[in-house]
């Protein structure tokens, strides 16, 4: 993994194009029966054809955009519900894929397992960029954060990250490392490095339970050489820690019970945000994103400017019927939430700065020539002096216009470190 660069930058780039209303797309995934579950009651069934999950005992059912049973592998899930988000991300649209569900339901396997969402998404990004037209250049960055006990940590830079309020109701992740990458292999090395630092522990439900939320952030900037505008987008790939009932934590250590308490608290905040948004509440007044670091960071993906997919992982056993019903109810509400999506376009401040400096140098040269002519008593003729004065005036106007554009554009985009990376092709 290349050396990370710490920075403080807006969490999501500002939208500049017409918006489109898009619902959060919801996928339910029922994992296979595992280990001690063999021989016990199976309480749930998923019908891929009708995209319905049913309670076998009561007949209650929930409909989603997709519903997959144990017969569908990671590759099939990605192709059906995640590839569109990744393609839009490469076109300048923010995206998010969130894995949600109780502990031991298969979230981490879905995200990071063989042909999981993370490796498939990364491969797709570089494949799409490599196949794009030759006159468009791409640059990619990666960041990796962990939310543990309401503390946000940089998994690539091994430092604490401050979550601050930014402009336009955005979020700033202060001290977050951003690594410029140019291949799938470089990203996956960063992922492996971050995963090795992520906190896990053994619980009654899972021998290697994630004790934190992990969010992989991919940034993409692209531009055509002849244009001054840059398309910039962010893709969030989130493996959320699982909700934990008391029976899963009562026999564990005091520290693990504390971890479980923080996990449940942040997931409750997420549930309340989804509930408020599903009721059509005003995002600026009724939706309380500030109750958790998780909801603050995910704010652009929840009712904001992002194309979002929610993958809800389900356990099949009757022992977890209560947790599974809770997950299904959450998923049904999330499906009613609408995001306002658009292509993000930013003025290229670095290119404008170069043009500005070139004009300043040209203006200085012209002023020197005018001074020389005036000192020589106008021996080259009044016509030539008037021409130089006209050029001087025109260059001054161009310089002032570029300077105004730079001021209006403000700070550099959130993925400025990507400019140092090699193009994807």
């Amino acid at each position: 993994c290349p050396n990370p660069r710490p920075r403080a930058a807006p969490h999501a780039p500002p939208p500049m194009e017409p918006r489109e209303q898009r619902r959060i797309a919801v996928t339910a995934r029922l994992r296979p029966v595992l280990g001690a579950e063999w021989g016990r009651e199976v309480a749930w069934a998923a019908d891929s054809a009708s995209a319905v999950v049913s309670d076998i005992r009561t007949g209650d059912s929930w409909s989603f955009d997709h519903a997959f049973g144990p017969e569908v592998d990671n590759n099939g899930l990605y192709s059906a519900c995640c590839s569109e988000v990744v393609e839009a991300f490469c076109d300048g649209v923010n995206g998010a894929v969130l894995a949600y569900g109780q502990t031991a339901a298969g979230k981490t396997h879905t995200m990071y397992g063989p042909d999981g969402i993370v490796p498939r998404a990364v491969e797709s990004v570089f494949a799409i960029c490599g196949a794009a037209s030759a006159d468009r250049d791409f640059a990619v960055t990666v960041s990796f954060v962990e939310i543990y006990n309401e503390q946000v940590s940089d998994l690539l830079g091994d430092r604490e990250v401050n979550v601050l309020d930014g402009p336009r109701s955005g979020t700033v992740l202060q001290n977050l490392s951003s690594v410029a990458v140019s291949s799938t292999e470089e990203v996956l090395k960063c992922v492996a490095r971050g995963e090795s630092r992520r906190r896990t522990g053994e619980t009654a439900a899972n021998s290697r339970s994630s004790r934190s939320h992990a969010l992989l952030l991919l940034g993409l900037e692209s531009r055509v050489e002849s244009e001054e505008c840059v398309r910039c987008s962010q893709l969030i790939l989130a493996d959320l820690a699982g909700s934990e009932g008391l029976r899963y934590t009562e026999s564990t250590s005091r520290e693990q019970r504390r971890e479980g308490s923080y996990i449940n608290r942040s997931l409750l905040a997420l549930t309340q945000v989804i509930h408020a948004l599903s009721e059509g509440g005003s995002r600026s007044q009724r939706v309380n994103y500030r109750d958790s670091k998780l909801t603050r960071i995910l704010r652009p993906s929840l009712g904001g400017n992002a194309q979002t997919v929610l993958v809800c992982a389900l356990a099949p056993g009757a022992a977890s019927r209560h947790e599974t019903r809770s997950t299904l109810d959450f998923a049904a509400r999330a499906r009613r939430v609408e995001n306002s999506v658009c292509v993000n376009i930013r003025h290229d401040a670095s290119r404008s700065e170069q043009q500005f400096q070139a004009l300043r140098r040209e203006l200085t040269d012209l002023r020197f020539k005018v001074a020389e002519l005036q000192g020589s008593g106008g021996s080259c003729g009044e016509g030539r002096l008037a021409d130089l004065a006209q050029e001087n005036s025109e260059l001054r106007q161009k310089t002032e216009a570029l300077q105004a554009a730079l001021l209006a554009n403000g700070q550099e985009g959130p993925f400025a470190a990507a400019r140092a990376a090699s193009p994807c092709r």
Side-chain angles (χ1 to χ4, degrees):
C1 179
N3 291 329
R5 294 175 54 185
R7 60 181 175 86
H11 179 57
M16 297 287 291
E17 289 287 299
R19 294 173 177 268
E20 176 187 356
Q21 297 301 116
R22 296 289 298 266
R23 278 191 306 102
I24 291 180
V26 178
T27 296
R29 186 184 200 188
L30 185 67
R31 69 159 171 78
V33 174
L34 301 174
E37 294 172 337
W38 282 104
R40 298 182 181 180
E41 180 186 359
V42 174
W44 303 95
D47 184 353
S48 299
S50 60
V52 169
V53 176
S54 303
D55 186 327
I56 296 174
R57 182 188 298 176
T58 66
D60 295 338
S61 62
W62 291 257
S63 297
F64 302 108
D65 297 279
H66 298 92
F68 299 122
E71 72 281 358
V72 177
D73 60 10
N74 282 346
N75 188 54
L77 184 145
Y78 175 85
S79 299
C81 65
C82 300
S83 58
E84 181 184 352
V85 174
V86 175
E87 290 169 5
F89 164 67
C90 294
D91 287 333
V93 176
N94 296 331
V97 180
L98 317 177
Y100 176 93
Q102 72 179 86
T103 188
K107 299 181 299 299
T108 300
H109 171 77
T110 298
M111 296 301 292
Y112 294 100
D115 290 325
I117 291 172
V118 168
R120 282 295 310 277
V122 174
E123 289 173 2
S124 297
V125 167
F126 286 99
I128 293 170
C129 293
S133 60
D135 61 344
R136 180 168 290 277
D137 292 326
F138 295 83
V140 184
T141 61
V142 60
S143 302
F144 206 179
V145 298
E146 175 187 60
I147 306 173
Y148 173 75
N149 291 358
E150 279 301 290
Q151 298 296 314
V152 182
S153 301
D154 183 348
L155 291 174
L156 300 183
D158 196 19
R159 60 171 65 88
E160 186 175 341
V161 175
N162 298 320
V163 182
L164 308 175
D165 292 331
R168 304 183 185 91
S169 300
T171 303
V172 173
L173 300 181
Q174 187 183 49
N175 298 326
L176 176 64
S177 297
S178 178
V179 181
V181 289
S182 57
S183 68
T184 299
E185 291 72 21
E186 288 184 0
V187 177
L188 295 183
K189 285 181 181 178
C190 290
V191 170
R193 177 181 173 185
E195 278 288 291
S196 68
R197 295 175 173 175
R198 190 179 176 189
R199 293 170 175 87
T200 61
E202 182 176 356
T203 67
N206 190 350
S207 60
R208 196 174 183 274
S209 174
S210 299
R211 314 305 296 162
S212 64
H213 308 299
L215 285 71
L216 184 71
L217 314 178
L218 295 179
L220 179 64
E221 289 190 350
S222 69
R223 71 180 180 190
V224 176
E225 185 63 28
S226 59
E227 298 177 355
E228 292 187 4
C229 292
V230 178
R231 290 194 317 212
C232 50
S233 52
Q234 184 181 68
L235 178 64
I236 300 177
L237 303 173
D239 178 19
L240 305 182
S243 58
E244 297 184 339
L246 180 61
R247 70 176 183 273
Y248 293 136
T249 58
E250 58 186 1
S251 63
T252 57
S253 68
R254 179 178 179 180
E255 179 61 25
Q256 286 180 321
R257 289 195 294 272
R258 180 170 177 265
E259 292 169 347
S261 173
Y262 274 106
I263 291 170
N264 290 340
R265 194 181 308 172
S266 64
L267 293 176
L268 175 61
L270 176 61
T271 300
Q272 291 172 336
V273 165
I274 290 294
H275 183 274
L277 291 172
S278 69
E279 295 295 323
S282 168
R283 290 191 291 274
S284 61
Q285 296 179 4
R286 293 179 52 191
V287 183
N288 194 354
Y289 294 94
R290 297 183 62 83
D291 280 352
S292 167
K293 298 288 178 59
L294 176 65
T295 50
R296 289 180 69 184
I297 295 175
L298 290 180
R299 182 171 183 170
S301 308
L302 307 173
N305 174 30
Q307 189 170 333
T308 301
V309 171
L310 177 69
V311 179
C312 289
L314 310 173
S320 59
R321 175 178 272 109
H322 174 75
E323 289 86 354
T324 300
R325 289 186 73 95
S326 177
T327 299
L328 291 168
D329 289 340
F330 171 84
R333 281 199 172 274
R335 194 166 180 244
R336 293 160 54 186
V337 175
E338 284 193 344
N339 291 353
S340 186
V341 180
C342 69
V343 175
N344 300 286
I345 296 179
R346 176 177 56 77
H347 188 76
D348 187 356
S350 63
R351 183 172 297 189
S352 294
E353 176 66 24
Q354 293 172 2
Q355 293 176 347
F356 175 66
Q357 295 299 336
L359 283 173
R360 287 192 64 177
R361 289 192 296 270
E362 192 172 349
L363 181 60
T364 300
D365 291 342
L366 276 174
R367 285 173 177 169
F368 182 73
K369 290 178 181 178
V370 169
E372 280 188 331
L373 286 172
Q374 289 175 338
S376 65
S379 58
C380 289
E382 293 183 2
R384 176 58 177 159
L385 188 60
D387 290 342
L388 288 173
Q390 178 64 26
E391 289 184 42
N392 188 357
S393 176
E394 291 175 357
L395 281 171
R396 183 188 296 276
Q397 291 175 6
K398 290 181 181 179
T399 302
E400 290 174 352
L402 268 174
Q403 192 171 27
L406 285 169
L407 291 173
N409 187 59
Q411 63 185 15
E412 287 189 316
F415 309 118
R419 299 190 189 107
S422 300
C424 296
R425 54 176 169 269

